[in-house]
Amino acid sequence: MITNMSRHLRSSALIFYFLLFTTFSAFAQNQHTVTGKVTDEQGTALEYATISFQSTTDPDKITGGITNPQGTFSIEVPAGNYDITVEFISFEPKKFTGRQINGDVNMGTITLGMAAGELEEVVVTAETTQVEVRLDKKIYNIGKDLTTAGGTVADALNNVPSVSVDIEGGISLRGNENVRILINGKPSAMAGFGNTDVLSQLPADAIERVEVITSPSARYDAEGTAGILNIILRKEKTLGFNGSVTARAGHPDQAGLSANVNLRTDKFNIFNTTGFRYFDAPGNSYSDTRYFEYIDEETGELVDPLDDRIIEDREIERLNRNFNTSLGFEYFITDMSSITATGFYRYGEDVDLTSNFSTVFREGSRALETTRRERQMEEDNSYQISLNYINKFDDSGHQLTADLQFEKDSETQNANIFETIDLNLTNDLPFYPREQTFTEESQKEYLAQIDYVRPIGEDAQFEAGYRGNFEEEVTDYELLLQNRDTQQMDRSALSNVFTYNENVNSLYSQYGNRFGDFSFLLGLRLENTQLKGDIQSNLSEEELEEEFGIPIETNFDNNYLGLFPTVNLIYEIGEMENITLGYNRRINRPRGWFINPFPSRASRTNIFQGNPNLQPAFSNAFDLGYLKRWKKLTFTSSVYYQHETDSFERVEQGSTSQDGTQVIRTIPINLATNTRIGAEAGLLYNPARWLRLNGSFNFFQFDTDGDYNGIDYSAKNTSYFGRFSSKVTLPWKIDWQTNAFYRGASEGAQTETQGLLSVDMAVSKELFNEKASLTLNVQDLLNSRKRESFTTTAFFERESEFQWRQRSIILSFTYRFNQQRREQDRQRRGNENNDEDMNGEGGEF
């Protein structure tokens, strides 16, 4: 981001430059004033363009200055002979070599032209959204999106084409949840080690851009059969001190304060994002389950369930407090090399109260009513330390980068569960013991990565690299149950310690070239995956299988060696039109919570448990894209096909607990195959300066084929989702934006899900000469973001509704200091990414 400086900070910057070059000035016998003005090709003054003077006799002696808001400069320079460079980000620099300064000099008006974009990309500009099409990805630069003002990273992702965030915070790409989330090109504690709930804690204004990688090249991890979402965080590239501060408040109760600040000189860059958030996020759910007679597979007898209907009405109160901060220091060793150290820390403290009101029917009449309350307290500490080194051998893209990263997450959860009988019209005297759970989770992850990029001539490029990810997750779970006779809290046999390791070593190489209007990028990645698990429990494997209904191996060590080829092609039909084609092979590794077999405790009748027998899924995918630009309209489209083997599928099974209660278990399994086909299209339309329209539509079909425990789970699911955004600029510097999202109905092997409509609306007013803005944002205006579904099996049918978060209203105030005016920001956004990437993924081809 390019910056506008206020007067008092402008003076501080000049003092800083004076001190920085004191040594050089001490040798000067005479000082002379060099003046001038810097503009773009339209004559617009460029504020904070840099003017540097490098001595031709001693290149280590450098001085310089910056332009003011009127684009003019006046710099004191010692007498001598200089090479003078005038620069402004995203503009072509101008150089004046061998200039003798022996008196005051007026350089007049210096005009800079916009820098040429990379040959293989097409840039489309709009204030709310901007897309770059490259060989292996689409890059969406986050514009001034009002509906995410005061919001979170998850809110911002929900406005990115091809991406959808469900009501529980789960992220999917083109309707597929098997998506890999990266931060700055790497797995990160900021993304919650795969738990996307953490993205609901990071402020949206920390994002610079989102890379949607549906056909990843070989330089990327092969994890995620749907593709990769790479979230690039802001890091200022402009000299000086600058940033923004945002305060927010809203309903349901929430308050927050966040800041993004940056200090950059010619030798170092310090950047920080810090935020605190307090919020109440109430939710609710409802389920109505009717049970059938069924035939016992072992005895062949007809079984009549004790309860023929159970209604559960659940209310969830969440009180969350979290703090996160990220601090980075980049040191420019030379003009061609730098080292960056970054630290991230997050602390969260949550108190959740879940009230589950159950009504049991027997023989068509209400027989039992209970209230189950779970009070859970959670504390989370995460930190990450990373070190990045980059060495550029020349200005053509020949470079070597190396990364080291360590992350640790510690989480404790303590819960008290009470269940009371409100009505009992049965002859039974049920006993619902008080429960206490104590969970300690720790996760460590180490990453080592090195990437080498070598251009070959003007149009070809070779890349190679190594990445190692080593992760250990330990879950120490203790369950205490009240003894009916003694009333004491006894340790349950379900208490356990589950240790899960995922170690991945990978090598890759890729080669790209361009022949006229045709470019290609071919790559091959070799990955060795080791998945290890160890369950320490008082129960034997036979007892665990009897308790959980699936065979469980308490100690496993699986190794997988895989080759993952990638092919990406692009053909430039013209300057405003191109076609892309991509192929890649991917892997989906089961995460820890999908492996851990010990079930949730929030409900006695509806539980989720992991499956330690899960194997990785593999997919082959093809993607064909087309882009066409006109003066005010941009059209993007693609069709895609994916075939996945051993795909994950959640199935629901009925069982009976020891006290005779009907229990529905949701278990992830490896189903045989899953074939996905789909098509998507997007439009960016700016018919007038005061109106910007943005829409996208995605249609897809999942064809699942497989069976489990003798039950056929084959199904064909056709669905779609679309979004529309309009932004209107009104008089008096007021902006009004409306975002609408609709996801169509879908049907799986067991469950039909109804369509969902969600509308967000926001209005913003610029203040203090556009240095500040006040935004009122209403998320889920219609309070309709609910999942309604109907499930049918051989044992039961269930109608359910779930709302993770209710409608919220947020008022936010943002103050920007030393940031450039909006017109310049719009001009340069499209080319800013041509500068050094922050993702550590090597060069861009």
Side-chain angles (χ1 to χ4, degrees):
M1 193 184 304
I2 305 170
T3 58
N4 279 328
M5 282 196 167
S6 59
R7 274 187 191 171
H8 62 286
L9 289 170
R10 186 179 302 118
S11 300
S12 300
L14 293 175
I15 293 172
F16 178 82
Y17 279 110
F18 174 79
L19 294 175
L20 184 64
F21 302 111
T22 296
T23 303
F24 173 78
S25 300
F27 290 95
Q29 299 299 318
N30 298 297
Q31 294 281 341
H32 303 292
T33 303
V34 180
T35 58
K37 182 175 183 178
V38 182
T39 69
D40 62 13
E41 292 174 332
Q42 287 73 42
T44 303
L46 297 180
E47 180 185 3
Y48 274 89
T50 59
I51 302 93
S52 59
F53 298 79
Q54 184 176 32
S55 173
T56 58
T57 57
D58 187 355
D60 291 334
K61 294 181 179 179
I62 304 173
T63 189
I66 46 184
T67 58
N68 63 18
Q70 289 72 44
T72 63
F73 61 89
S74 179
I75 305 169
E76 296 295 322
V77 181
N81 194 280
Y82 295 92
D83 290 334
I84 305 173
T85 304
V86 182
E87 296 177 285
F88 191 69
I89 228 169
S90 298
F91 284 73
E92 291 286 356
K94 256 189 187 174
K95 294 186 178 181
F96 305 87
T97 59
R99 289 296 182 95
Q100 182 70 35
I101 297 178
N102 49 23
D104 293 345
V105 177
N106 185 350
M107 298 184 67
T109 299
I110 303 169
T111 302
L112 301 183
M114 291 292 291
E118 294 184 15
L119 292 177
E120 72 281 0
E121 72 182 54
V122 177
V123 180
V124 182
T125 303
E127 189 174 48
T128 55
T129 310
Q130 177 177 299
V131 59
E132 295 177 29
V133 179
R134 295 191 179 177
L135 270 169
D136 57 349
K137 60 191 170 188
K138 294 179 181 177
I139 302 175
Y140 293 93
N141 292 289
I142 303 301
K144 191 185 178 187
D145 196 329
L146 305 182
T147 59
T148 62
T152 66
V153 167
D155 297 325
L157 289 178
N158 207 33
N159 289 333
V160 174
S162 305
V163 180
S164 59
V165 182
D166 66 22
I167 58 177
E168 297 173 280
I171 297 171
S172 61
L173 183 59
R174 292 172 168 175
N176 188 347
E177 295 180 353
N178 299 330
V179 58
R180 178 70 156 166
I181 307 295
L182 302 178
I183 303 291
N184 294 340
K186 308 178 195 68
S188 173
M190 299 185 196
F193 300 104
N195 177 9
T196 54
D197 288 347
V198 176
L199 298 178
S200 297
Q201 302 177 14
L202 300 176
D205 54 12
I207 300 179
E208 179 176 294
R209 63 186 187 271
V210 176
E211 298 178 348
V212 178
I213 311 173
T214 53
S215 183
S217 66
R219 77 165 67 100
Y220 293 99
D221 186 3
E223 170 73 23
T225 55
I228 295 172
L229 289 179
N230 186 21
I231 301 169
I232 305 298
L233 302 182
R234 294 187 185 278
K235 184 175 72 170
E236 190 57 64
K237 299 179 176 67
T238 304
L239 294 174
F241 179 66
N242 50 82
S244 65
V245 178
T246 299
R248 65 186 67 89
H251 175 80
D253 292 346
Q254 59 177 294
L257 185 66
S258 62
N260 293 289
V261 295
N262 199 100
L263 173 63
R264 178 161 181 157
T265 74
D266 61 342
K267 291 300 294 181
F268 65 84
N269 186 20
I270 302 175
F271 45 97
N272 172 258
T273 298
T274 298
F276 171 79
R277 190 172 181 224
Y278 164 93
F279 64 100
D280 184 11
N284 59 82
S285 68
Y286 172 85
S287 67
D288 186 352
T289 308
R290 294 175 172 84
Y291 297 90
F292 307 139
E293 294 179 337
Y294 63 95
I295 297 177
D296 189 287
E297 295 181 358
E298 295 182 359
T299 64
E301 298 180 354
L302 184 66
V303 178
D304 187 12
L306 177 64
D307 305 325
D308 48 57
R309 184 183 181 190
I310 297 178
I311 297 176
E312 287 190 333
D313 197 352
R314 186 179 303 181
E315 296 177 357
I316 308 169
E317 299 177 20
R318 305 184 189 92
L319 187 61
N320 300 331
R321 295 175 290 273
N322 57 68
F323 168 83
N324 62 82
T325 185
S326 163
L327 177 64
F329 180 84
E330 181 177 15
Y331 177 71
F332 305 101
I333 304 171
T334 67
D335 291 341
M336 308 297 287
S337 64
S338 68
I339 187 167
T340 303
T342 305
F344 170 78
Y345 174 74
R346 183 184 68 248
Y347 174 78
E349 189 177 291
D350 305 339
V351 178
D352 299 346
L353 177 61
T354 302
S355 301
N356 197 342
F357 306 97
S358 299
T359 302
V360 178
F361 293 83
R362 295 179 181 174
E363 298 180 354
S365 299
R366 186 176 58 178
L368 183 67
E369 291 183 357
T370 64
T371 299
R372 181 182 178 89
R373 288 188 171 88
E374 177 183 5
R375 181 179 177 84
Q376 177 177 288
M377 292 169 287
E378 180 178 323
E379 188 174 296
D380 182 21
N381 278 279
S382 299
Y383 68 86
Q384 170 185 300
I385 300 172
S386 60
L387 195 65
N388 167 262
Y389 171 76
I390 181 170
N391 183 69
K392 298 180 180 180
F393 299 100
D394 52 39
D395 292 327
S396 67
H398 184 198
Q399 65 181 36
L400 176 74
T401 60
D403 293 270
L404 293 174
Q405 185 169 287
F406 171 72
E407 307 167 2
K408 183 176 181 181
D409 180 74
S410 301
E411 185 176 296
T412 60
Q413 295 179 354
N414 299 327
N416 282 292
I417 302 173
F418 301 85
E419 187 158 4
T420 59
I421 300 174
D422 304 319
L423 176 67
N424 186 6
L425 300 179
T426 70
N427 295 322
D428 303 329
L429 295 176
F431 172 68
Y432 301 119
R434 175 187 170 192
E435 301 178 24
Q436 290 182 319
T437 63
F438 303 91
T439 307
E440 292 185 4
E441 294 180 335
S442 65
Q443 185 162 338
K444 296 179 182 179
E445 185 167 347
Y446 301 86
L447 177 144
Q449 177 177 325
I450 187 168
D451 297 278
Y452 175 73
V453 182
R454 176 62 187 261
I456 304 173
E458 294 184 358
D459 297 322
Q461 182 169 289
F462 169 79
E463 294 184 42
Y466 162 81
R467 175 185 282 184
N469 277 86
F470 311 98
E471 177 183 341
E472 181 179 76
E473 180 179 345
V474 180
T475 303
D476 188 344
Y477 174 78
E478 184 179 21
L479 171 64
L480 303 182
L481 294 176
Q482 185 180 18
N483 186 293
R484 184 168 190 169
D485 297 326
T486 66
Q487 300 298 305
Q488 298 296 315
M489 302 298 294
D490 296 336
R491 193 174 191 269
S492 168
L494 295 179
S495 301
N496 70 95
V497 178
F498 178 53
T499 303
Y500 181 66
N501 292 88
E502 179 181 300
N503 301 318
V504 181
N505 287 280
S506 56
L507 294 169
Y508 83 91
S509 177
Q510 64 182 16
Y511 173 76
N513 207 337
R514 177 170 184 161
F515 300 96
D517 295 327
F518 175 76
S519 301
F520 68 83
L521 184 61
L522 308 178
L524 184 64
R525 191 176 186 92
L526 173 68
E527 290 196 349
N528 176 256
T529 301
Q530 181 189 39
L531 303 179
K532 295 173 57 179
D534 179 65
I535 301 173
Q536 299 179 19
S537 169
N538 291 331
L539 299 177
S540 66
E541 291 187 354
E542 292 76 14
E543 291 172 324
L544 287 170
E545 180 177 354
E546 181 179 354
E547 177 70 27
F548 298 146
I550 56 174
I552 291 177
E553 187 177 354
T554 57
N555 190 289
F556 59 89
D557 187 350
N558 301 323
N559 278 271
Y560 308 89
L561 184 66
L563 282 173
F564 301 92
T566 62
V567 179
N568 287 285
L569 314 173
I570 185 169
Y571 178 68
E572 300 285 349
I573 302 174
E575 184 179 352
M576 312 284 280
E577 188 177 14
N578 68 43
I579 296 176
T580 57
L581 176 64
Y583 161 77
N584 63 86
R585 184 172 188 257
R586 310 286 295 165
I587 185 175
N588 185 24
R589 305 180 185 96
R591 306 302 297 175
W593 70 287
F594 254 40
I595 294 288
N596 193 338
F598 291 87
S600 60
R601 306 292 299 180
S603 169
R604 285 186 300 105
T605 57
N606 293 281
I607 62 176
F608 175 87
Q609 69 181 63
N611 179 3
N613 305 309
L614 273 183
Q615 304 295 306
F618 295 88
S619 72
N620 291 277
F622 296 85
D623 187 289
L624 177 64
Y626 172 74
L627 178 142
K628 173 68 174 175
R629 290 198 294 162
W630 293 269
K631 184 176 180 180
K632 296 183 178 181
L633 176 67
T634 298
F635 172 72
T636 60
S637 63
S638 65
V639 293
Y640 51 91
Y641 169 86
Q642 182 185 76
H643 182 75
E644 185 175 348
T645 57
D646 289 331
S647 62
F648 300 166
E649 185 78 14
R650 301 186 193 189
V651 299
E652 296 183 337
Q653 296 183 316
S655 62
T656 303
S657 65
Q658 295 179 353
D659 62 4
T661 302
Q662 273 74 41
V663 177
I664 299 172
R665 297 179 184 270
T666 301
I667 305 172
I669 64 169
N670 287 109
L671 224 53
T673 62
N674 191 334
T675 301
R676 302 180 176 95
I677 59 173
E680 62 181 351
L683 287 174
L684 298 173
Y685 182 43
N686 299 334
R689 294 179 60 88
W690 57 270
L691 178 62
R692 289 163 292 279
L693 305 175
N694 183 359
S696 63
F697 181 80
N698 195 306
F699 173 86
F700 52 89
Q701 183 181 85
F702 293 0
D703 191 353
T704 302
D705 182 18
D707 60 81
Y708 179 72
N709 284 348
I711 301 175
D712 186 7
Y713 288 98
S714 300
K716 183 174 288 187
N717 170 25
T718 300
S719 188
Y720 61 92
F721 65 86
R723 53 169 49 88
F724 174 78
S725 174
S726 68
K727 185 175 180 183
V728 179
T729 300
L730 302 172
W732 307 293
K733 297 181 180 178
I734 296 176
D735 288 332
W736 173 30
Q737 183 173 332
T738 303
N739 287 1
F741 174 84
Y742 182 78
R743 187 186 65 210
S746 62
E747 183 175 349
Q750 295 178 309
T751 302
E752 299 177 9
T753 304
Q754 301 300 312
L756 181 151
L757 173 66
S758 178
V759 177
D760 300 333
M761 188 174 293
V763 61
S764 176
K765 166 75 169 124
E766 293 293 326
L767 303 171
F768 309 136
N769 195 25
E770 300 190 6
K771 292 181 179 178
S773 58
L774 185 67
T775 304
L776 180 65
N777 176 10
V778 182
Q779 297 180 353
D780 194 9
L781 178 69
L782 306 178
N783 202 33
S784 57
R785 196 167 174 80
K786 303 176 183 179
R787 182 178 63 219
E788 299 178 2
S789 59
F790 185 77
T791 301
T792 303
T793 73
F795 305 97
F796 65 91
E797 63 178 20
R798 181 176 63 201
E799 180 182 356
S800 62
E801 178 182 287
F802 181 72
Q803 184 177 27
W804 177 259
R805 185 179 65 180
Q806 299 176 13
R807 174 178 52 220
S808 64
I809 302 173
I810 303 173
L811 181 65
S812 63
F813 175 78
T814 300
Y815 180 77
R816 300 173 290 273
F817 53 94
N818 298 353
Q819 294 190 355
Q820 92 285 358
R821 64 173 176 271
R822 217 184 313 166
E823 289 82 5
Q824 291 177 356
D825 182 54
R826 284 199 296 265
Q827 264 189 326
R828 60 92 190 162
R829 274 189 189 272
N831 295 314
E832 186 181 51
N833 293 322
N834 294 334
D835 292 345
E836 173 192 334
D837 274 350
M838 296 167 7
N839 57 13
E841 287 289 346
E844 296 290 349
F845 176 75

